[in-house]
Amino acid sequence: MNKREREILNVLSESPDPMTSTQVCDAKRSFTQSTVIAVLRKLLHMGLIETQGVTHSGKVLTRLFAPTPKAKEAVIAHYLAELEETRGIVTADEIRDAALAAGIAVTKKGQA
């Protein structure tokens, strides 16, 4: 999974509602409409997002996209692979401590 795919998944995951490609572009100004559409197609093909309806965008019908549960699994697998590649450099505990120091919430499953 590349950086753009993760960024678009993040935008979709942060939204309480499914989003159109235009809404994704508006949320992340560094993206062009053509890039977003290409990445959305790839994420659809990978099963990481799904279409959750259709809406009007002006006079045009457009699809609404949302992440699937498989998206979270894919992101976790990506970071576990990265951790495995850096095993000799950093440990999981060091990454957890760095995340806590950066203000990123880190808890064990079942804890708040």
Side-chain angles (χ1 to χ4, degrees):
M1 180 179 305
N2 66 38
K3 181 179 178 182
R4 288 215 192 274
E5 293 162 355
R6 289 190 313 271
E7 288 174 330
I8 289 177
L9 275 176
N10 194 47
V11 168
L12 290 170
S13 295
E14 289 178 342
S15 175
D17 300 312
M19 299 175 75
T20 66
S21 61
T22 301
Q23 290 170 321
V24 173
C25 281
D26 291 345
K28 194 79 170 172
R29 294 276 182 202
S30 62
F31 291 156
T32 63
Q33 185 73 15
S34 59
T35 297
V36 169
I37 289 170
V39 173
L40 288 172
R41 272 193 199 119
K42 187 174 179 187
L43 293 171
L44 274 168
H45 180 72
M46 296 166 66
L48 302 182
I49 64 171
E50 62 188 0
T51 302
Q52 288 197 344
V54 177
T55 189
H56 280 90
S57 179
K59 294 182 179 182
V60 179
L61 288 175
T62 186
R63 293 182 286 176
L64 294 165
F65 301 97
T68 64
K70 184 178 175 184
K72 190 174 281 193
E73 295 168 12
V75 171
I76 290 169
H78 168 80
Y79 283 108
L80 288 176
E82 295 244 335
L83 180 60
E84 180 64 25
E85 289 177 15
T86 60
R87 185 190 324 202
I89 303 168
V90 294
T91 66
D93 287 338
E94 290 169 327
I95 291 172
R96 184 200 63 233
D97 293 344
L100 289 170
I104 300 170
V106 179
T107 61
K108 289 189 178 183
K109 190 172 181 176
Q111 294 179 344

